[in-house]
Amino acid sequence: MRLPSHIRRVISVWLAALLIFLSFAASAHSVTHLDDGAKTHCTLCFHQHQFNKILLTQPLVLNLAVQRFDIVEFVLPIFLSKHISVYRSRAPPVSL
C-alpha cells in the first residue's frame, strides 16, 4: 500500500526536522562532559568515544598504477572502390 504524496512529504519534513534537532542535541550533550573524567561519562558518550577511536584517522593514500601505452602506426594500402546502393525489399539474404 502506497501512501499519498502529501503524507509522504509531511513525514519526510518531520524526519528532517527531527534529524536536525537530534544533531544539535547530540553536540550539546557532548559539551556537558568536557571536564568529566572517564568514569563519569554516560554510556552514550563512552560508546561514541570508543567508536571514534576505531575510525581511521590517517589520510588515505592509494598507490595507483600508471597506465602506459605503445604508439603503433599502420600503413594501409590504398583502395579504389565505388559505392553501390541496392534496395532489396523482402528479398532473401544473398551472400556476396
Side-chain angles (χ1 to χ4, degrees):
M1 180 175 151
R2 271 184 80 127
L3 295 173
S5 64
H6 69 281
I7 293 176
R8 284 187 286 148
R9 191 177 314 124
V10 168
I11 290 172
S12 63
V13 167
W14 277 105
L15 287 175
L18 183 64
L19 179 67
I20 291 171
F21 172 75
L22 288 177
S23 67
F24 283 119
S27 63
H29 178 78
S30 65
V31 172
T32 60
H33 293 298
L34 284 179
D35 295 330
D36 294 346
K39 295 186 179 185
T40 58
H41 277 278
C42 65
T43 306
L44 175 67
C45 293
F46 177 75
H47 288 297
Q48 184 66 36
H49 177 70
Q50 293 295 324
F51 182 68
N52 287 340
K53 289 289 186 178
I54 292 173
L55 294 177
L56 182 65
T57 56
Q58 299 174 358
L60 181 63
V61 177
L62 297 175
N63 295 326
L64 300 176
V66 178
Q67 183 177 6
R68 300 174 193 262
F69 56 92
D70 296 330
I71 298 174
V72 179
E73 291 185 17
F74 293 102
V75 178
L76 300 175
I78 297 175
F79 285 88
L80 291 179
S81 62
K82 141 178 150 178
H83 176 73
I84 299 173
S85 296
V86 177
Y87 176 71
R88 292 184 182 159
S89 162
R90 299 182 184 198
V94 177
S95 60
L96 298 174

